[in-house]
Amino acid sequence: MIVLGIETSCDETAVALVQDGQEMLASLVYSQADLHARYGGVMPEAASRDHLRKLPALAEEALEKAGLSWDQVDLVGVTYGPGLIGPLIVGVAYAAGVALARDVPLVGVNHLAAHLFALRLMAPPLDPPFLGLIASGGHTLLVVVPRWGEYQVVGGTRDDAAGEALDKFGRLLGFPYPAGPKIDALAQDSDPKAIPFPRPMLESGLDMSFAGLKTAALYWLRQHSGAPLPELCASFLEAVVEVLVEKAMRAARRFQCKKIGVVGGVAANHRLRQVFPARANERGMDVFFPPPELCTDNAATVAACAFHRYRELGIADPLSLSPDANLPLHGWR
Ligand code: KG4
Ligand code: ZN
C-alpha cells in the first residue's frame, strides 16, 4: 500500500511517499525558515500562502523521485492538527482534493502522534510500551505509549516548549529563527558548566517550565556583557537538556517504562543525543533517537501514522475533515 503523506502544520511544507507504513520511497521537506527569519518567528499568514504556493509542486516532485504516478497512490494521510490554522487548512484541503480526485481514502493525522511514529520508521522500529518525549518548537510532552494508537500524556511544559526556549534565547543573541541548530553547533566545543543557568522545576513532578529560564538568561545577559557565544549557548542548552533528561527518566520510572523514545526537532540536538543515553543506561533504561531528519517536521512520519490508522485501526475520515489547531493527543487514537 502506497501512502502519500502531507504535512503543513507550521513552517515546513512536506510530502512523502511511504510503502506499507515502513519503506520511505520519497520524503521531501521544504523549509520556510528564510521567509520567517526576518520576523523572528513564524508569520501565520505568510506561512499559509507559501504552503499553497509550494505544496502541489512538491507533491509532483515526490512522485517523480519515488518513480510513481498518481494512480499508484492508495491512501492520503494529512496532518489536521495541532498547528497553525491557516497552514493546516491548506494541507487538509489539498489532501481532500487528492483523495476525491483519485478516489482513495483520506486519513487525518495528529501532528504529535506523527512525531512519535518516527520511532516506528527506525530500523529496527521501537515497539511499545515506551515513554515518549516529544520536544519540538511548539510542544514539549511526556507520553506513555502502551501500544500504537494509545497515548497517555503524563507531563509537559506549562509555558514555552523546549525548542521555543532555544529559539527565544537565540533571538536575544541576535540569531535568526529558528536558533536551535545554531545553538547546537556553537555549543559543541564549549563548557556547558560555564554559566550556572537555573533548572526550573527540576526537583519534582513531571511538568516543566522553560519561560523562567529564558528570563534568567535575559537578566544574565543584561548584567554581563561580552561573554563568549559558545559558552552562553552550551550553558543554556545544558539547562534545557538536563530538565528534559531528568523529567523523562522520572516519568519512565514512575510508569515502569524501560524504553524512552525521543522525537521532535530538539531530538536532533547533539548534546541531548550524547547525554541522554549515558544517563539512562546508568539507571537501566534504553533511549532511542530516530535519525535527525525524522525528528524535525516531515511527512514520512505522517504517512506511517496514516497507514497505522487505516490498516490497523480501520479508521478513514470524510472529505469534510476539519483542521483543529488545538487537537489534543490525549484520547486521540
Ligand atoms: O519538530 P519541529 O521541526 O517543528 C515543530 O513541530 O515545532 O521542531 C522545531 C524546533 C525549533 O524550535 C528548532 O530550533 C528546534 O526544533 N531544533 C533544534 C535542533 N534542530 C531543530 N534544537 C536544538 N538542536 C537542534 N539541532
Ligand atoms: Zn513538529
Side-chain angles (χ1 to χ4, degrees):
M1 175 175 248
I2 305 274
V3 184
L4 173 71
I6 294 169
E7 156 64 42
T8 61
S9 66
C10 190
D11 62 339
E12 261 98 25
T13 314
V15 177
L17 288 148
V18 175
Q19 188 160 10
D20 299 329
Q22 203 68 54
E23 196 185 339
M24 285 182 271
L25 305 177
S27 178
L28 301 182
V29 180
Y30 169 77
S31 168
Q32 301 178 347
D34 290 346
L35 173 69
H36 302 294
R38 77 187 104 140
Y39 305 111
V42 179
M43 219 264 243
E45 173 66 19
S48 309
R49 288 174 189 277
D50 211 45
H51 284 306
L52 192 57
R53 179 183 72 81
K54 190 72 193 176
L55 183 54
L58 204 66
E60 297 288 350
E61 201 183 322
L63 281 167
E64 199 183 309
K65 179 127 196 271
L68 296 170
S69 57
W70 279 110
D71 55 13
Q72 288 171 287
V73 172
D74 300 306
L75 181 74
V76 184
V78 63
T79 304
Y80 74 106
L84 299 169
I85 193 65
L88 287 169
I89 288 172
V90 173
V92 170
Y94 181 81
V98 171
L100 178 66
R102 303 302 327 162
D103 194 23
V104 294
L106 174 70
V107 174
V109 165
N110 182 310
H111 180 72
L112 301 170
H115 269 304
L116 289 169
F117 268 78
L119 296 160
R120 205 181 177 179
L121 279 172
M122 283 170 53
L126 177 64
D127 292 323
F130 61 80
L131 186 279
L133 165 61
I134 306 173
S136 72
H139 301 89
T140 298
L141 306 174
L142 295 164
V143 192
V144 175
V145 182
R147 60 188 65 82
W148 286 112
E150 237 174 79
Y151 312 103
Q152 187 191 353
V153 178
V154 297
T157 184
R158 292 188 182 172
D159 40 54
D160 291 352
E164 186 179 1
L166 291 168
D167 294 339
K168 287 179 174 171
F169 176 67
R171 198 176 172 184
L172 293 176
L173 300 178
F175 298 169
Y177 168 87
K182 180 156 185 181
I183 293 171
D184 185 357
L186 279 171
Q188 275 179 43
D189 295 310
S190 193
D191 178 11
K193 295 198 185 78
I195 302 161
F197 287 127
R199 274 74 167 144
M201 300 175 69
L202 186 67
E203 299 309 325
S204 64
L206 299 178
D207 279 352
M208 302 169 230
S209 164
F210 293 105
L213 173 60
K214 178 199 63 201
T215 310
L218 175 65
Y219 286 130
W220 198 93
L221 285 170
R222 279 191 191 152
Q223 285 156 11
H224 305 77
S225 59
L229 283 181
E231 279 186 5
L232 276 165
C233 292
S235 303
F236 189 89
L237 179 61
E238 196 70 0
V240 173
V241 164
E242 197 171 323
V243 170
L244 292 176
V245 168
E246 281 305 317
K247 297 285 176 172
M249 288 205 302
R250 183 173 298 151
R253 212 168 36 242
R254 190 173 298 176
F255 293 94
Q256 283 145 32
C257 300
K258 288 232 168 297
K259 299 181 284 189
I260 301 174
V262 192
V263 296
V266 180
N269 184 266
H270 287 84
R271 183 68 183 158
L272 185 64
R273 292 171 94 97
Q274 178 189 23
V275 167
F276 208 160
R279 293 264 194 93
N281 290 346
E282 284 166 15
R283 300 200 207 166
M285 297 173 194
D286 281 317
V287 183
F288 299 84
F289 286 91
E293 64 277 13
L294 288 174
C295 291
T296 46
D297 284 350
N298 69 87
T301 54
V302 175
C305 185
F307 176 83
H308 161 75
R309 282 170 76 66
Y310 186 75
R311 257 297 160 79
E312 287 157 49
L313 301 180
I315 295 172
D317 289 294
L319 293 177
S320 57
L321 173 71
S322 280
D324 180 351
N326 301 311
L327 184 68
L329 187 58
H330 247 319
W332 190 87
R333 287 205 295 158

